[in-house]
Structures are given as C-alpha cells and as structure tokens.
Amino acid sequence: MALLQLRGMSKAFFGVPVLKEVDLALEGGEVLGLVGENGAGKTTLMNIVGGVVAADSGEMWLAGERYAPRTPREASARGVGFIHQELNLFANLSIGENLFVERFPRRLGLIDRPRLRREARQALDSVGLELPPEMPLERLSPGEKQLVEIARALSQEAQILIFDEPTTSLTHRETERLFALIRRLKEEGRAVVYISHILGDVLKLCDRVAVLRDGEKVGEGPVGEFDIPKLIRLMVGRNLEQLYPPRPSRPGAEVLLEVRDLAREGVLEGVNLRLHRGEVLGLFGLMGSGRTELARALFGLDPVDRGEVALGGRLLRGGPSQRIAQGLAYLTEDRREEGLLMEAPILDNLGLAALRRWVQGWLGVDQAALRASGSQVAQRLRLRTENLEAQPAKSLSGGNQQKVVLGKWLLARPQVYILDEPTRGVDVGAKYEIYSLIGELAAGGAGVLMISSELDELLGVADRIVVMANGEVQATFVQEAFDRERILAAAFREGVGA
C-alpha cells in the first residue's frame, strides 16, 4: 500500500477549475517529481495534501487511513511537512524560536529556554546547519533559512516532505547541499515530493515523475522514461523547437541609460555602464556581487555616496515615484513582498504604476478605462484569470503573479525596464513568453537591463552581458564573444584570485 494515496482530487477557484480528477500515489523511500506549467495545479494539489486548502471532491489516504486535514497543523500532526516556495518563517525571531514557534517547550507556564536551545540544536544538527539557535533568522542566507524550515518539519517527525520550488533562491553550493539532504531523507524511508521548473534537477534527483497540464495528470512513470523534451511536450501540449525566441531587431547607437561612477561604501564600487535604445543588456554575477543593489540604486530605492544616472541625457533625481515619472521601471526579484499587493484584485495591481492616467479629478478612477487597459495587457501576457476585478493576486500561480508585475510596468510605458530575475519560479512555456516580450520591448525602442542567475538565459536573450563581482563591473561581453567559461571566470573573480 502506498504511503499517500490521492484519488479524484478536484478544486476550483472563483469558478475556474484548477484540478480535475487527479490521482496520485507516493511510496515511502522515494522522491516524486511533480512538474507542469504555472497554473497547472501542482501547488494547489500539494496545498490540499498540506492542509492549506480543502479539495472540492476526491479522497486521500495516509498510511492506510482516511486523510483530510483542515489546517496545516493537522497535516503536520499526521507527519506531512510542507516547505513552501515562500518560506513561512519570522525574520524578527531567532532560529530556535522559528523551529518551535507553534509548540514552545514550557516549564511552569513559561518558555523553557534551556530545553528550547537543546532541542533546537538537535534539530539543526539533523540538517547539518552549524549555527547557534539564538541567532536572529534575518541574518541567515536563503539556503540557511530553507534548512531551518526543513529542520522544523523533521523535528515534527514528518514522514512526507513537500518541496515547492526549493532552489529558486539558492546558490549552486546550497542546491547541492539540499540534494544531499533529500537523498538522505529517502534513505531513511521518508517520502519526498519535489516540485520544480528546473527539469534537469528533476531528472537528476527523482525516482518517478508526474506531469500536470491544465489541472489534469497527463503523464507519470519512472524517471528513466523521460527526458527534457518529453517533459516539455507533456507540460505545454506541444513541441518547443527552441528555448529562446529569435530577436526581431538589433540595438541602436543611442545611449538610453548611462551610469557614471556609481558608488556606495561596501556595496558598489564605481560602477559604469551604458544601455542603448533597443538593447537587452544582461547583468550577471554571483549572489552578493552587487547586481540587485545596483538595480535598487538605479531606481532610487537605496542611497549612493557618489555617481550619476542619466536617462535620455537627463540626470535622474529623487526616489522611485520620480523615476517612474521619468521613464524607469523596476521589476523586483521579490514579487510577493515588493511587487504586488497580494490581497488586492489583479486589476488594481495592474494599475499601480500608472494609476494617474485613469484618475478623473474628484470623480476618482475611471474604472471602465482601467478595465479596458488591464484586459488588453492581460491578453497580451496570456494571463490565466477569469475575473480581473474580483480575483486577488494571491490566488494566482507564481508565474501568473510574475505576469501581473510585468503587466503593471507595461501599462506605465517606461523607456527603460530593469528586470531582476524576471523568470524566477516560472515554467519553461511562460519563460519563452517572457523572453518574447523582452524582445518586443527592445524592438519597440525600450532598453532592458536584465539581471539573472541563470547564465544560459542571458546567453540566449542578451545583446551584451556585464559581469559584476564585489560590487564592481569585472567585464563586458558582446554577443559575438559570448564565452561561458570566461563569463564565469569573471564572476568568480574573488575565488580565482584574479
């Protein structure tokens, strides 16, 4: 008998079916890869298993007993741990407090601090995290925070662990560490569900693969029966002949954005770069290289000690509001915390950056005009939604949330788009659509500064690539001279002693 058995699982949101009679089984001691496009139903299915939402119909059995958790706490009590893509941790608490936040050990009605430290140490040792339990969580890297969440699940004796896009914010070293831990959990007889858009990782790590498309299971079997082209074909329902669309135009000679000697102590060291009209300029570097810090400084979010930024020959002044008005857009890498109002309707989110366009004095916002513009951009982005005005942004899949953030900036009509990890957590089909949109924006005369941790996509999309390390520009490569090894060598400048 399977450790976990799902039969006929169905779910709809706002009248839109997202799961349709899905059957799935999970054995102890195996890693099951769950793949599909954004909106295919992967996270919803696992949210049902994890007690986050209830199914509309269908049945589940766990270790031979009926299973229908009404809350995540009930699921946890039955041995199901869910490591979400957006980690459920408290930055203002210590590591130990996060581990036991729902079940603090107590003595005489008070928190038993010595016991908390002792049990937290045991939990951290189980995942190989050698940090003091008293350390504030906010000081940890994304990979370390993820290990804390895994340690919390293991301390609750979870027999089933669900990982939803676990590597999107991890370095290569942290990813390998995670894979080693998952293999160890498998050897201990625990079951793992691994959700990821990085198909190579799925084939490398998993024993079996299940594929969802439009809420239905369209493929399942041992990992040896699949390769990446077959997975893509099942996910999108067609062959993708190439991962990167052809560029319809080439950059012009006009300099659109110029950065001159931009510096901030300990963060940026005299950065100089130029972005031409119609150009896609890739910005590559390791975590901590200064890529995001540069983007935030350009958009006026963070102060600088010296330097200038000019757009169209005019110096940029002020904060984000002024820079939006001057023609700059910034798609943040953290769409949930900084890019969207998660509780607000999709239409309200789409109108955020250009709301003044639809304001009619004391009459307020022209909802009809906003709705018309929002509907046009939603169609352009193939946004999967039935009701822009009623459906909240939080109900969308990660990829469709990213499309809403892109749509917000499309409606603002900027001259320069700064895109920080625009395809993070996005499936292969949606990635192609985003790459195509980036090409269209450049062809229309905009400039695109694209930051990415995935060198392959910059090699496939960019006209030039600027490499940063230690807050400095280390090298610039034109498309004709793209060389993976040389680009990586420039990014690892500190490590290779260059």
Side-chain angles (χ1 to χ4, degrees):
M1 180 178 295
L3 178 59
L4 178 67
Q5 185 81 43
L6 283 63
R7 294 180 185 169
M9 306 307 295
S10 297
K11 181 68 179 178
F13 291 109
F14 301 93
V16 181
V18 293
L19 287 176
K20 308 168 189 175
E21 300 287 331
V22 175
D23 297 338
L24 199 65
L26 181 65
E27 304 284 348
E30 79 163 343
V31 181
L32 173 67
L34 187 59
V35 301
E37 287 191 278
N38 290 113
K42 310 179 300 296
T43 299
T44 299
L45 184 63
M46 291 300 105
N47 276 338
I48 293 172
V49 175
V52 179
V53 298
D56 295 335
S57 61
E59 297 176 319
M60 295 189 290
W61 285 265
L62 180 59
E65 298 180 2
R66 287 293 298 272
Y67 175 66
R70 292 169 294 180
T71 64
R73 180 175 291 186
E74 286 188 17
S76 177
R78 293 289 298 273
V80 176
F82 199 155
I83 293 83
H84 295 266
Q85 182 176 356
E86 312 295 340
L87 300 179
N88 293 322
L89 298 171
F90 297 92
N92 61 322
L93 298 181
S94 70
I95 296 173
E97 289 166 339
N98 270 282
L99 288 172
F100 295 96
V101 68
E102 295 179 337
R103 49 195 177 93
F104 285 121
R106 295 184 179 274
R107 185 182 182 207
L108 301 176
L110 301 174
I111 296 175
D112 187 341
R113 291 287 174 179
R115 182 182 166 195
L116 174 64
R117 286 192 293 271
R118 189 168 58 251
E119 295 186 1
R121 182 69 271 153
Q122 293 174 353
L124 295 175
D125 287 344
S126 72
V127 297
L129 191 56
E130 298 176 359
L131 294 174
E134 301 82 11
M135 179 179 287
L137 188 92
E138 61 188 1
R139 291 172 55 185
L140 274 61
S141 72
E144 290 168 336
K145 290 177 183 177
Q146 189 173 75
L147 289 175
V148 170
E149 183 126 30
I150 297 169
R152 182 167 66 181
L154 294 180
S155 71
Q156 296 171 331
E157 300 183 352
Q159 294 303 306
I160 296 174
L161 290 105
I162 303 165
F163 293 85
D164 191 359
E165 295 291 348
T167 64
T168 54
S169 299
L170 303 189
T171 64
H172 177 74
R173 181 176 298 177
E174 289 172 334
T175 297
E176 289 301 320
R177 186 179 187 181
L178 173 65
F179 287 178
L181 176 58
I182 290 175
R183 293 187 183 104
R184 199 192 82 202
L185 296 173
K186 172 187 169 181
E187 291 172 359
E188 293 174 356
R190 304 178 200 255
V192 173
V193 179
Y194 187 83
I195 303 172
S196 179
H197 293 308
I198 305 177
L199 301 181
D201 287 351
V202 172
L203 296 177
K204 174 182 178 182
L205 184 66
C206 299
D207 302 298
R208 285 192 303 122
V209 180
V211 186
L212 298 184
R213 183 174 74 238
D214 295 330
E216 299 180 275
K217 188 175 72 176
V218 294
E220 183 180 13
V223 70
E225 296 180 359
F226 297 89
D227 57 18
I228 290 178
K230 182 177 180 179
L231 288 176
I232 292 174
R233 186 166 61 251
L234 288 168
M235 287 168 56
V236 304
R238 65 187 189 280
N239 287 319
L240 281 182
E241 300 300 332
Q242 55 189 29
L243 294 177
Y244 305 102
R247 285 286 302 282
S249 66
R250 308 313 303 171
E254 179 187 351
V255 175
L256 200 53
L257 181 74
E258 186 170 10
V259 181
R260 297 188 285 263
D261 194 31
L262 205 65
R264 183 183 178 191
E265 186 176 358
V267 179
L268 300 172
E269 301 293 337
V271 174
N272 294 279
L273 61 81
R274 290 182 172 185
L275 172 66
H276 296 86
R277 185 174 295 280
E279 181 180 30
V280 179
L281 178 62
L283 189 58
F284 183 71
L286 307 178
M287 291 183 68
S289 62
R291 303 169 310 172
T292 295
E293 291 79 2
L294 175 60
R296 291 177 61 86
L298 294 179
F299 197 59
L301 285 166
D302 294 338
V304 295
D305 298 328
R306 70 172 191 271
E308 297 176 331
V309 182
L311 177 59
R314 297 176 57 188
L315 292 180
L316 292 178
R317 306 288 189 189
S321 295
Q322 290 79 8
R323 302 203 180 195
I324 292 172
Q326 293 173 84
L328 205 61
Y330 173 45
L331 185 146
T332 171
E333 65 175 337
D334 189 347
R335 58 176 174 258
R336 292 178 65 90
E337 295 296 327
E338 300 177 346
L340 294 169
L341 301 176
M342 298 301 292
E343 302 292 336
I346 297 167
L347 185 61
D348 289 358
N349 275 281
L350 287 172
L352 281 175
L355 192 60
R356 292 177 182 174
R357 186 187 309 163
W358 299 285
V359 173
Q360 297 181 309
W362 60 270
L363 293 174
V365 176
D366 185 343
Q367 283 295 132
L370 174 58
R371 188 186 312 115
S373 297
S375 296
Q376 288 178 355
V377 78
Q379 291 176 3
R380 180 180 180 185
L381 294 171
R382 299 182 185 178
L383 183 62
R384 295 186 180 184
T385 177
E386 294 295 322
N387 194 326
L388 291 175
E389 295 179 88
Q391 190 172 351
K394 69 178 183 180
S395 69
L396 295 173
S397 67
N400 282 300
Q401 288 176 2
Q402 191 74 321
K403 289 181 179 181
V404 174
V405 182
L406 281 166
K408 172 182 72 176
W409 291 117
L410 290 179
L411 288 176
R413 302 171 186 169
Q415 296 185 64
V416 169
Y417 293 81
I418 303 170
L419 307 180
D420 195 352
E421 302 285 5
T423 65
R424 174 173 287 173
V426 172
D427 66 77
V428 64
K431 280 185 176 182
Y432 189 91
E433 294 173 2
I434 292 173
Y435 299 148
S436 297
L437 174 63
I438 289 172
E440 292 173 13
L441 294 174
V448 179
L449 179 62
M450 180 175 171
I451 302 170
S452 178
S453 300
E454 296 185 35
L455 180 54
D456 284 343
E457 73 175 3
L458 292 183
L459 293 172
V461 173
D463 298 299
R464 289 186 300 137
I465 296 176
V466 170
V467 183
M468 289 189 67
N470 306 324
E472 299 178 278
V473 172
Q474 302 298 326
T476 301
F477 298 85
V478 297
Q479 193 176 67
E480 296 75 16
F482 281 174
D483 182 295
R484 172 185 293 277
E485 291 187 5
R486 290 179 61 209
I487 292 173
L488 288 173
F492 279 100
R493 178 177 183 266
E494 182 177 7
V496 299

